[in-house]
Amino acid sequence: MNSKNTCANTHDFLAAMNSETLKLMELFGGKVGKEQLDNLNGDWTQVLGQSHSTQDWIEVIGDYQKSQMKFWSGFFAAPIDASSASSASSDRRFNSDEWSETPIFNYIKDSYLIASKQLNKLAASVGMDDKSQQTLAFYTQQYIDALSPSNFAATNPEVIQRAIDTNGQSLIDGLKNLVGDIGKGRISMTDESAFTMGENIATSEGAVVFENELMQLIQYTPSTDKVCERPLLIVPPCINKFYILDLQPHNSFVRHAVEQGQTVFLISWVNPAAKQGHLSWDDYVEKGIFEALSVAKAVTGSERVNTVAWCVGGTLLASALAVMAARKDNSVASATLLTTLVDFEEPGDLGVFINKSQVLPLIKQAKESGVMSGKKLSVAFNLLRSNDLIWPYVVNNYLKGHAPAPFDILYWNSDLTNMAGEMYSEYLTNMYLENNLIKPGKMTVCGDALDLSQIKVPCYFLSCIEDHIAPWSSIFKGAGLFRNVEFVLGASGHIAGVINPASKNRRHFWTDGEKGNGSEHWLESAEKQEGSWWNHWSVWLDKRGGKRVPAAKQLGSCDFEVIEAAPGRYVKERIA
């Protein structure tokens, strides 16, 4: 084997891999960037042509051949030992007994696992720069996941058995499910008919007291006789709908805050269409956050407001706080930033999609059409966890013919939201491509140059240890730019780590680590606490809520009358 042949073979492998990935993405996300993947292919091939990793590849292929020989020897000599193929006991795709007890399916499974392991080793031994290596590893894993024998009817014993048990009806039902999902342009993850907005999801009592072209502002009804003097404004991400924070009574963050004596206001962003494509980052700060702060102050009579924001909403809030610092405006008494990136140097798994060859065509397309389609955004996020958010539903819905079960978080995950073209362009450029938010004076919002180090507001940063969208080490690094920070690390990931109801008090979190020596040292020195971080946060926030005052008898005020009941019209607007 020589370097030239290695490079050529790898190019063929990448071309095949890109083709399969495109088929998957186009089926459920519309037409996507073949040009971007072709550019990546060219970049990888150029690097491979300069690589000196031929010996590594020879060793990997040799290991593969040894694994196959060991596997075949065991196959004919004795019952198969799954450990020869990196046991699948923890792999949910193969947890059915048939995969281990039936020799032919055990062989299929273990052969796949051996090949998967070697493909990943081949990708890891290419010897490219870190960014290119991460991208190659990602698309290699997508290819591997797509070709799992569990994803095909003829090689999945559970699918075959169900077809036998139902006299083939499961295959007919699966085909109906597939046709229905192709019509919707996305995979059904839950029984969407099981939920009705305002009836059994997003049910916290309240009313819309203000609206403009960008957002509606909801005020929630107090549930305590006395409330904190300072109201609480929640800024959800504009890339998703707000009711992830108000799913059902037992897991509603909004309800929890109200029960702690907070007067809660919450922004419900518009689901933009082409006519709102002009809405910019400045608009989301000015017409969104600043307008909401003004209304909350006017309605409650308080001069200061506590704030909570999540993900992109947190990045917007950080921008707003920097503007306010430049203006000497101290209207915000505290800021809670949930899984929020401000330093985008290491953006986690999303980094595989972030380079100019991929991003610039998407920006151009979004500006031309007015929006970045929520369907395409959903495909990108789902691909980051394809073995959780794509393939289980392909198998369950299409191969086994099951109807998906009701699940509130998955209903929310399927309720897609567009991004305004201008906002999307500025977000990708200033944050992911150029990382301008952390550079003093580099980024200007609402006419003011931003400098995060000038923000004096007490900040509660929550990150989650398994977050693949906003890595906790990157959040920790960004939090170091602020002057007054309480950093908390929660268990689980980007969604489940945040929606960890105090009523169940499950999981754990870390606090009070030593700062100044990096994230790993912080975790080593931190105190692990059992239960939900919600209770810890409530104590922190209560200290910044001001004195207790009688709860309002009615919502709104003479200047801001009730427009309609919560959750409002904007959140009900769905993408067809």
Side-chain angles (χ1 to χ4, degrees), residues 397-424:
N397 300 1
Y398 310 150
L399 302 187
K400 295 182 179 180
H402 290 304
F407 187 21
D408 52 7
I409 290 180
L410 290 178
Y411 177 81
W412 166 83
N413 189 62
S414 301
D415 193 357
L416 308 178
T417 308
N418 294 328
M419 287 189 75
E422 185 62 30
M423 162 66 165
Y424 178 77

Side-chain angles (χ1 to χ4, degrees), residues 222-232 254-264 538 541-542 545-551:
S223 64
T224 55
D225 292 334
K226 290 193 173 184
V227 296
C228 292
E229 177 184 20
R230 294 169 182 164
L232 178 68
V254 167
R255 177 180 285 258
H256 171 77
V258 169
E259 289 174 346
Q260 304 309 303
Q262 301 294 333
T263 299
V264 178
S538 295
L541 182 65
D542 188 64
K547 63 183 180 181
R548 294 277 170 159
V549 298

